Amino acid sequence: MEVTGTILNIKYRNDNNGWTVLSYETASGETGVAVGIMPALNIGETVVFTGRETEHPQYGPQLTVESYRVSLPTTVDAMLAYLSSGFIRGIGKATARMIIDKFGQESLDIIKNSPNELLKISGIGPKKLKTIVESYNEKVGMQDVIIGMQQLGLSLNMAMKIYKLYGENCVQIVRDNPYRLIDDVENIGFKTADKIAQEAGYERESTFRIRAGVKYALSNAASEGNTCLPFDLLVMYASNNVLELDTETVSGIIEKMIVSGELAEKQLDGVRHVFLKTMFYLEKHSAEMLCELCRSIENLRLFDIDDEIRRLERKFGSNLAQAQREAVRRSILDGVLVITGGPGTGKTTILRFIIDILASQGIEFVLAAPTGRAAKRITDTTDVEAKTIHRLLEYNASCEEFSINEDCPLEADAVIIDEMSMVDISLFHSLLKAIAPGTRLIMVGDVDQLPSVGPGNVLSDIVHADIVPVIRLNEIFRQAGKSRIVTNAHLVNNGKMPVLDGDSDDFLFYRCNNQEVALNSVLNVCADYAYLGKSNEVQVLSPMKKNLIGVQNINARLQAELNPPDPSKAEIAFGETIFREGDRVMQIKNNYNLEWVRSIAGKPSVEGTGVFNGDIGTVMSIDTDSRFITVLFDDERSADYNAAQFDELELAYCISVHKSQGSEFPCVVLPLVNGPRMLFNRNILYTAITRAKDRVIILGTHECLEFMIGNTNARKRYSALGYFLAEQRSDA
């Protein structure tokens, strides 16, 4: 809908992102409230708003603005209100009155085109005049930019981001090279940039467009976990899915990009693979650094390692199996090692032995994991503080770099990384740069779990490259063997059906013949936990986002069931999502700049920055006026989100199996009836089961389980770290 009105008052404005709440009056005398990103609008301006009418739970009806066009005030009264608003630095209410009295309806034209005339006003000298002119040009310039961006088809939110990035010349910069937006601005893809380019007159067959489309295709592949693509697959994908051009034309441009060095190429198993230069460098350099680290470590033979192991067996009251004993020996003696195994195979026990031996011998070590939840779990099980890898490497949000690097490496003799399956190639590269030669590196993880969300197949590539010693743990220990979760996880991983006889309280199966029955069962199970006051102990996981039993629909239904609208609970709308006080939410992207505070009774508050993809918490409060959401995460950190950051949050009553990596929940509920072949596979099922600590509840069919266990055709992930490692071995 379109509404034309004159701005009466600016109720609220966030100068960082332009979010504004204002009141307006139409020509017929009706008043209303408009909200949205409107950084340059001010009192007295007449504006044509385009948006949709929404209902605020506290403040009633308001217009959510999606675009606008503006005209400066034309009447004397409107001009007076405009100049008196404080919009222009150097002009207050008294000065505004004098300007209007002197120049009348020509006042704004004087400020814009003949500013020296203002020197005739008492109190305005050369210095103040300069301030007025600069302020006016800045504000009006921003307004012209925002409107110019809208004319290019960009949303207000995106226009504000681009303005902050490129400055006052941003419209011309975008027109000159729309495709640079893909690399420079988050959430702008090829289609948006391409639409702008077509309006600017770019030909569909232009080399400039094709090169951008090819790079975008490789970036898209990276977002799906690939560091490279086979040449023919890249040609087909870029031609059909991105550029909509013939393959011969696209193939020719890719060849030229390889020759010019714009893209990198490598033969993997006799097949040409193409890389973005960054990905090629990350994998190749990581292989070089890892092999160099292996060669740099001297064996420790200053004490009897077997005697130390026997001492700790007495201390902990447990005897190590042969594979566990070998893992402890190799980590201490050889230095670079991978320990991989499924649940119940003793990885935590091995860590406790390694940590104790290192400490007893005065060997400085650090313990880390990719996510905050994983780090907290390791801390709880080993009684030793574990950090996230980002915190360990001291990520500097202001320059988006790690302070701990090759020039300032970690001050440790040994580095232990748990949950290595979650580490992508970029993070692995940064980690290796921060490890000085001679430092021990112990990598622990389950190679059979889903790979990292980010690009690369780091743990799997290292394990299969036969460069670094690998200890595989296959034996399930007696105590863990009592857990049906553990035994069934291993059955699934070995291609066998889990035991579903109903004799176990920790692994339950309820037959649901269709998705509707499964959905209702999910609601009933979660309602039962809520009734017992244990809502936060149950986590629903789904392999898919859409469909009746996908993440999105289950979240909407569980929110309505467990946290329905209530006059005592503030809520706020963002797109199609309603965030309400009491909701479970999850951070869905890394935000290294977001500030948080951890306050625990009896301890001093701790402040920090950085909230990461996969962190889960609860909405504690919502300020509907200022549009802020306060989230308390499960590790006691509290963070405030402004309106521009709402897209970083999702409801988390149900999350995808991929997003659950590195986390552990008391109870996991799995609705499994049917779904896409690429998502309903053995790897997904195994990972989902291993996320449960005390109980798994499967709501579905035997047929679906059998299909998933038999389906080992998970989407292939293209990576080259293993090949680069093999080259290092042959060169040694």
Side-chain angles (χ1 to χ4, degrees), residues 439-486:
T439 304
R440 279 162 164 68
L441 175 60
I442 302 160
M443 297 169 279
V444 184
D446 186 348
V447 75
D448 294 317
Q449 283 191 27
L450 290 170
S452 60
V453 175
N457 212 8
V458 174
L459 182 60
S460 179
D461 282 353
I462 293 174
V463 166
H464 294 106
D466 197 25
I467 289 288
V468 175
V470 176
I471 302 296
R472 293 178 179 268
L473 305 174
N474 298 312
E475 182 181 348
I476 303 174
F477 292 96
R478 185 176 63 183
Q479 185 174 357
K482 296 177 182 178
S483 166
R484 187 65 64 82
I485 297 173
V486 171

Short mmCIF file of all heavy atoms in Angstrom, two decimals, residues 439-486:
data_model
loop_
_atom_site.label_atom_id
_atom_site.label_comp_id
_atom_site.label_asym_id
_atom_site.label_seq_id
_atom_site.Cartn_x
_atom_site.Cartn_y
_atom_site.Cartn_z
N THR A 439 55.46 -27.75 18.09
CA THR A 439 54.28 -27.88 18.96
C THR A 439 53.51 -29.13 18.59
O THR A 439 53.31 -29.44 17.42
CB THR A 439 53.36 -26.65 18.80
OG1 THR A 439 54.11 -25.47 19.07
CG2 THR A 439 52.18 -26.73 19.76
N ARG A 440 53.06 -29.86 19.61
CA ARG A 440 52.25 -31.05 19.37
C ARG A 440 50.82 -30.66 18.99
O ARG A 440 50.28 -29.70 19.52
CB ARG A 440 52.25 -31.94 20.62
CG ARG A 440 53.49 -32.76 20.71
CD ARG A 440 53.79 -33.34 22.05
NE ARG A 440 54.79 -34.39 21.88
CZ ARG A 440 56.06 -34.14 21.51
NH1 ARG A 440 56.46 -32.90 21.31
NH2 ARG A 440 56.91 -35.14 21.34
N LEU A 441 50.21 -31.42 18.09
CA LEU A 441 48.83 -31.19 17.66
C LEU A 441 48.08 -32.51 17.73
O LEU A 441 48.42 -33.47 17.04
CB LEU A 441 48.79 -30.63 16.24
CG LEU A 441 47.40 -30.46 15.63
CD1 LEU A 441 46.55 -29.49 16.45
CD2 LEU A 441 47.50 -29.99 14.18
N ILE A 442 47.06 -32.54 18.58
CA ILE A 442 46.24 -33.74 18.76
C ILE A 442 44.82 -33.40 18.33
O ILE A 442 44.19 -32.51 18.90
CB ILE A 442 46.27 -34.21 20.23
CG1 ILE A 442 47.72 -34.47 20.66
CG2 ILE A 442 45.42 -35.46 20.42
CD1 ILE A 442 47.93 -34.47 22.15
N MET A 443 44.33 -34.09 17.31
CA MET A 443 43.01 -33.81 16.73
C MET A 443 42.08 -34.98 17.04
O MET A 443 42.38 -36.12 16.68
CB MET A 443 43.13 -33.60 15.23
CG MET A 443 43.99 -32.39 14.86
SD MET A 443 44.40 -32.30 13.08
CE MET A 443 45.78 -33.46 13.00
N VAL A 444 40.97 -34.69 17.68
CA VAL A 444 40.02 -35.72 18.12
C VAL A 444 38.67 -35.46 17.46
O VAL A 444 38.20 -34.32 17.42
CB VAL A 444 39.87 -35.71 19.65
CG1 VAL A 444 38.95 -36.84 20.12
CG2 VAL A 444 41.24 -35.82 20.32
N GLY A 445 38.04 -36.50 16.95
CA GLY A 445 36.72 -36.33 16.34
C GLY A 445 36.18 -37.63 15.80
O GLY A 445 36.84 -38.67 15.84
N ASP A 446 34.97 -37.55 15.28
CA ASP A 446 34.30 -38.71 14.70
C ASP A 446 34.21 -38.51 13.20
O ASP A 446 33.41 -37.72 12.71
CB ASP A 446 32.90 -38.84 15.31
CG ASP A 446 32.18 -40.12 14.87
OD1 ASP A 446 32.67 -40.78 13.93
OD2 ASP A 446 31.13 -40.44 15.46
N VAL A 447 35.05 -39.21 12.46
CA VAL A 447 35.12 -39.01 11.01
C VAL A 447 33.85 -39.45 10.30
O VAL A 447 33.61 -39.07 9.15
CB VAL A 447 36.36 -39.76 10.44
CG1 VAL A 447 36.09 -41.27 10.39
CG2 VAL A 447 36.75 -39.22 9.07
N ASP A 448 33.00 -40.22 10.97
CA ASP A 448 31.76 -40.69 10.35
C ASP A 448 30.60 -39.72 10.52
O ASP A 448 29.52 -39.95 9.97
CB ASP A 448 31.37 -42.06 10.93
CG ASP A 448 32.37 -43.15 10.55
OD1 ASP A 448 32.80 -43.15 9.38
OD2 ASP A 448 32.74 -43.95 11.42
N GLN A 449 30.79 -38.66 11.29
CA GLN A 449 29.74 -37.65 11.42
C GLN A 449 29.70 -36.77 10.18
O GLN A 449 30.58 -36.83 9.31
CB GLN A 449 29.98 -36.78 12.66
CG GLN A 449 29.60 -37.46 13.95
CD GLN A 449 29.61 -36.48 15.11
OE1 GLN A 449 29.41 -35.30 14.93
NE2 GLN A 449 29.85 -36.99 16.31
N LEU A 450 28.68 -35.92 10.11
CA LEU A 450 28.58 -34.97 9.01
C LEU A 450 29.82 -34.08 8.99
O LEU A 450 30.36 -33.73 10.04
CB LEU A 450 27.34 -34.10 9.18
CG LEU A 450 25.99 -34.79 8.97
CD1 LEU A 450 24.86 -33.87 9.42
CD2 LEU A 450 25.80 -35.20 7.53
N PRO A 451 30.27 -33.68 7.81
CA PRO A 451 31.42 -32.77 7.74
C PRO A 451 31.03 -31.37 8.17
O PRO A 451 29.86 -31.09 8.45
CB PRO A 451 31.81 -32.82 6.25
CG PRO A 451 30.55 -33.18 5.55
CD PRO A 451 29.79 -34.09 6.48
N SER A 452 31.99 -30.48 8.19
CA SER A 452 31.79 -29.11 8.64
C SER A 452 30.73 -28.40 7.80
O SER A 452 30.51 -28.73 6.64
CB SER A 452 33.10 -28.33 8.56
OG SER A 452 33.57 -28.31 7.22
N VAL A 453 30.09 -27.40 8.41
CA VAL A 453 29.14 -26.57 7.67
C VAL A 453 29.88 -25.75 6.62
O VAL A 453 29.41 -25.58 5.50
CB VAL A 453 28.37 -25.64 8.63
CG1 VAL A 453 27.47 -24.69 7.86
CG2 VAL A 453 27.54 -26.47 9.61
N GLY A 454 31.05 -25.25 6.98
CA GLY A 454 31.86 -24.48 6.04
C GLY A 454 32.57 -25.37 5.04
O GLY A 454 32.54 -26.60 5.14
N PRO A 455 33.24 -24.78 4.05
CA PRO A 455 33.87 -25.57 2.99
C PRO A 455 35.03 -26.42 3.48
O PRO A 455 35.75 -26.05 4.40
CB PRO A 455 34.33 -24.50 1.99
CG PRO A 455 34.43 -23.24 2.77
CD PRO A 455 33.38 -23.33 3.83
N GLY A 456 35.20 -27.56 2.83
CA GLY A 456 36.29 -28.46 3.14
C GLY A 456 35.81 -29.75 3.76
O GLY A 456 34.67 -29.88 4.20
N ASN A 457 36.71 -30.72 3.77
CA ASN A 457 36.43 -32.04 4.34
C ASN A 457 37.65 -32.42 5.17
O ASN A 457 38.25 -33.47 4.96
CB ASN A 457 36.20 -33.03 3.20
CG ASN A 457 35.22 -34.12 3.56
OD1 ASN A 457 34.59 -34.08 4.62
ND2 ASN A 457 35.10 -35.11 2.70
N VAL A 458 38.00 -31.54 6.09
CA VAL A 458 39.32 -31.54 6.72
C VAL A 458 39.64 -32.85 7.42
O VAL A 458 40.64 -33.51 7.10
CB VAL A 458 39.45 -30.36 7.70
CG1 VAL A 458 40.77 -30.45 8.47
CG2 VAL A 458 39.37 -29.04 6.95
N LEU A 459 38.82 -33.26 8.37
CA LEU A 459 39.14 -34.46 9.14
C LEU A 459 39.19 -35.69 8.25
O LEU A 459 40.12 -36.49 8.33
CB LEU A 459 38.12 -34.66 10.27
CG LEU A 459 38.38 -35.86 11.18
CD1 LEU A 459 39.73 -35.75 11.85
CD2 LEU A 459 37.27 -36.01 12.22
N SER A 460 38.20 -35.85 7.39
CA SER A 460 38.17 -37.01 6.50
C SER A 460 39.38 -37.02 5.57
O SER A 460 40.00 -38.07 5.36
CB SER A 460 36.87 -37.01 5.69
OG SER A 460 36.83 -38.10 4.81
N ASP A 461 39.73 -35.87 5.01
CA ASP A 461 40.88 -35.81 4.10
C ASP A 461 42.17 -36.18 4.82
O ASP A 461 43.03 -36.87 4.27
CB ASP A 461 41.00 -34.41 3.50
CG ASP A 461 40.01 -34.17 2.37
OD1 ASP A 461 39.32 -35.14 1.97
OD2 ASP A 461 39.91 -33.03 1.89
N ILE A 462 42.33 -35.71 6.06
CA ILE A 462 43.54 -36.03 6.82
C ILE A 462 43.59 -37.52 7.14
O ILE A 462 44.63 -38.17 6.99
CB ILE A 462 43.60 -35.20 8.12
CG1 ILE A 462 43.77 -33.71 7.80
CG2 ILE A 462 44.75 -35.67 9.01
CD1 ILE A 462 43.68 -32.81 9.01
N VAL A 463 42.47 -38.07 7.57
CA VAL A 463 42.42 -39.48 7.95
C VAL A 463 42.78 -40.38 6.76
O VAL A 463 43.51 -41.37 6.91
CB VAL A 463 41.02 -39.84 8.50
CG1 VAL A 463 40.84 -41.35 8.58
CG2 VAL A 463 40.82 -39.22 9.87
N HIS A 464 42.28 -40.04 5.58
CA HIS A 464 42.47 -40.92 4.42
C HIS A 464 43.74 -40.63 3.65
O HIS A 464 44.08 -41.37 2.71
CB HIS A 464 41.26 -40.82 3.48
CG HIS A 464 40.00 -41.34 4.09
ND1 HIS A 464 38.98 -40.52 4.53
CD2 HIS A 464 39.58 -42.60 4.37
CE1 HIS A 464 38.00 -41.25 5.03
NE2 HIS A 464 38.34 -42.52 4.95
N ALA A 465 44.47 -39.57 4.03
CA ALA A 465 45.68 -39.22 3.29
C ALA A 465 46.90 -40.04 3.72
O ALA A 465 47.90 -40.08 3.01
CB ALA A 465 45.98 -37.73 3.47
N ASP A 466 46.83 -40.68 4.89
CA ASP A 466 47.92 -41.53 5.38
C ASP A 466 49.23 -40.74 5.55
O ASP A 466 50.30 -41.23 5.24
CB ASP A 466 48.13 -42.71 4.43
CG ASP A 466 48.94 -43.83 5.10
OD1 ASP A 466 48.91 -43.91 6.35
OD2 ASP A 466 49.61 -44.59 4.38
N ILE A 467 49.10 -39.52 6.03
CA ILE A 467 50.27 -38.69 6.32
C ILE A 467 50.46 -38.57 7.82
O ILE A 467 51.56 -38.73 8.35
CB ILE A 467 50.10 -37.28 5.72
CG1 ILE A 467 50.20 -37.34 4.21
CG2 ILE A 467 51.15 -36.31 6.26
CD1 ILE A 467 51.58 -37.61 3.68
N VAL A 468 49.37 -38.29 8.51
CA VAL A 468 49.37 -38.14 9.96
C VAL A 468 48.94 -39.47 10.59
O VAL A 468 48.01 -40.11 10.09
CB VAL A 468 48.40 -37.01 10.38
CG1 VAL A 468 48.29 -36.91 11.90
CG2 VAL A 468 48.83 -35.69 9.79
N PRO A 469 49.61 -39.91 11.67
CA PRO A 469 49.16 -41.13 12.35
C PRO A 469 47.70 -41.02 12.78
O PRO A 469 47.28 -39.98 13.29
CB PRO A 469 50.09 -41.22 13.57
CG PRO A 469 51.29 -40.44 13.19
CD PRO A 469 50.81 -39.34 12.31
N VAL A 470 46.94 -42.08 12.56
CA VAL A 470 45.51 -42.10 12.89
C VAL A 470 45.23 -43.30 13.79
O VAL A 470 45.59 -44.43 13.45
CB VAL A 470 44.63 -42.17 11.63
CG1 VAL A 470 43.16 -42.28 12.02
CG2 VAL A 470 44.87 -40.97 10.74
N ILE A 471 44.60 -43.05 14.92
CA ILE A 471 44.15 -44.13 15.80
C ILE A 471 42.64 -44.23 15.68
O ILE A 471 41.92 -43.26 15.98
CB ILE A 471 44.53 -43.87 17.28
CG1 ILE A 471 46.05 -43.71 17.41
CG2 ILE A 471 44.01 -45.00 18.16
CD1 ILE A 471 46.85 -44.95 17.07
N ARG A 472 42.15 -45.36 15.22
CA ARG A 472 40.71 -45.58 15.07
C ARG A 472 40.20 -46.38 16.27
O ARG A 472 40.74 -47.45 16.58
CB ARG A 472 40.40 -46.34 13.79
CG ARG A 472 40.69 -45.55 12.52
CD ARG A 472 40.39 -46.39 11.28
NE ARG A 472 40.64 -45.68 10.05
CZ ARG A 472 39.73 -44.97 9.39
NH1 ARG A 472 38.50 -44.90 9.87
NH2 ARG A 472 40.03 -44.36 8.25
N LEU A 473 39.19 -45.86 16.93
CA LEU A 473 38.61 -46.52 18.09
C LEU A 473 37.31 -47.21 17.66
O LEU A 473 36.37 -46.54 17.23
CB LEU A 473 38.33 -45.51 19.20
CG LEU A 473 39.52 -44.64 19.64
CD1 LEU A 473 39.07 -43.58 20.62
CD2 LEU A 473 40.61 -45.51 20.25
N ASN A 474 37.27 -48.51 17.76
CA ASN A 474 36.09 -49.27 17.32
C ASN A 474 35.40 -50.02 18.46
O ASN A 474 34.24 -50.40 18.34
CB ASN A 474 36.50 -50.28 16.24
CG ASN A 474 37.05 -49.61 14.99
OD1 ASN A 474 36.45 -48.66 14.49
ND2 ASN A 474 38.20 -50.07 14.51
N GLU A 475 36.12 -50.22 19.57
CA GLU A 475 35.56 -51.01 20.67
C GLU A 475 34.65 -50.16 21.55
O GLU A 475 35.02 -49.06 21.98
CB GLU A 475 36.71 -51.57 21.52
CG GLU A 475 36.23 -52.44 22.67
CD GLU A 475 37.40 -52.97 23.50
OE1 GLU A 475 38.56 -52.84 23.06
OE2 GLU A 475 37.13 -53.50 24.60
N ILE A 476 33.43 -50.66 21.79
CA ILE A 476 32.49 -50.00 22.70
C ILE A 476 32.75 -50.54 24.11
O ILE A 476 32.74 -51.75 24.32
CB ILE A 476 31.03 -50.27 22.30
CG1 ILE A 476 30.79 -49.82 20.87
CG2 ILE A 476 30.08 -49.54 23.24
CD1 ILE A 476 29.41 -50.18 20.36
N PHE A 477 32.96 -49.65 25.06
CA PHE A 477 33.32 -50.09 26.40
C PHE A 477 32.09 -50.46 27.23
O PHE A 477 30.97 -50.04 26.94
CB PHE A 477 34.18 -49.03 27.08
CG PHE A 477 35.52 -48.93 26.41
CD1 PHE A 477 35.74 -47.96 25.44
CD2 PHE A 477 36.51 -49.84 26.69
CE1 PHE A 477 36.96 -47.89 24.79
CE2 PHE A 477 37.73 -49.77 26.04
CZ PHE A 477 37.95 -48.80 25.09
N ARG A 478 32.34 -51.25 28.25
CA ARG A 478 31.26 -51.91 28.99
C ARG A 478 30.20 -50.94 29.46
O ARG A 478 29.00 -51.15 29.22
CB ARG A 478 31.84 -52.67 30.19
CG ARG A 478 30.80 -53.48 30.95
CD ARG A 478 31.44 -54.27 32.06
NE ARG A 478 32.05 -53.39 33.05
CZ ARG A 478 32.74 -53.82 34.11
NH1 ARG A 478 32.92 -55.10 34.29
NH2 ARG A 478 33.25 -52.96 34.97
N GLN A 479 30.61 -49.84 30.10
CA GLN A 479 29.62 -48.91 30.62
C GLN A 479 28.83 -48.27 29.48
O GLN A 479 27.61 -48.14 29.53
CB GLN A 479 30.30 -47.83 31.46
CG GLN A 479 29.32 -46.88 32.14
CD GLN A 479 30.02 -45.92 33.08
OE1 GLN A 479 31.22 -46.00 33.27
NE2 GLN A 479 29.27 -45.01 33.67
N ALA A 480 29.55 -47.86 28.41
CA ALA A 480 28.86 -47.26 27.27
C ALA A 480 28.00 -48.29 26.57
O ALA A 480 26.96 -47.97 25.98
CB ALA A 480 29.88 -46.68 26.29
N GLY A 481 28.42 -49.55 26.63
CA GLY A 481 27.67 -50.62 25.96
C GLY A 481 26.30 -50.85 26.57
O GLY A 481 25.44 -51.50 25.95
N LYS A 482 26.07 -50.34 27.77
CA LYS A 482 24.76 -50.46 28.38
C LYS A 482 23.78 -49.45 27.78
O LYS A 482 22.58 -49.55 28.01
CB LYS A 482 24.87 -50.23 29.89
CG LYS A 482 25.72 -51.29 30.61
CD LYS A 482 25.84 -50.95 32.10
CE LYS A 482 26.73 -51.96 32.82
NZ LYS A 482 26.89 -51.63 34.26
N SER A 483 24.29 -48.48 27.08
CA SER A 483 23.46 -47.45 26.47
C SER A 483 22.96 -47.92 25.11
O SER A 483 23.76 -48.21 24.22
CB SER A 483 24.24 -46.15 26.32
OG SER A 483 23.58 -45.25 25.46
N ARG A 484 21.65 -47.96 24.95
CA ARG A 484 21.09 -48.33 23.65
C ARG A 484 21.40 -47.26 22.61
O ARG A 484 21.50 -47.55 21.42
CB ARG A 484 19.58 -48.54 23.79
CG ARG A 484 18.88 -49.08 22.55
CD ARG A 484 19.32 -50.49 22.19
NE ARG A 484 19.00 -51.49 23.17
CZ ARG A 484 17.81 -52.09 23.31
NH1 ARG A 484 16.81 -51.75 22.53
NH2 ARG A 484 17.64 -53.02 24.22
N ILE A 485 21.58 -46.00 23.06
CA ILE A 485 21.95 -44.93 22.12
C ILE A 485 23.29 -45.26 21.47
O ILE A 485 23.45 -45.18 20.25
CB ILE A 485 22.04 -43.57 22.85
CG1 ILE A 485 20.68 -43.16 23.41
CG2 ILE A 485 22.56 -42.48 21.90
CD1 ILE A 485 20.73 -41.92 24.28
N VAL A 486 24.26 -45.65 22.29
CA VAL A 486 25.60 -45.94 21.78
C VAL A 486 25.58 -47.16 20.87
O VAL A 486 26.10 -47.14 19.74
CB VAL A 486 26.59 -46.16 22.95
CG1 VAL A 486 27.92 -46.68 22.43
CG2 VAL A 486 26.78 -44.85 23.71
#
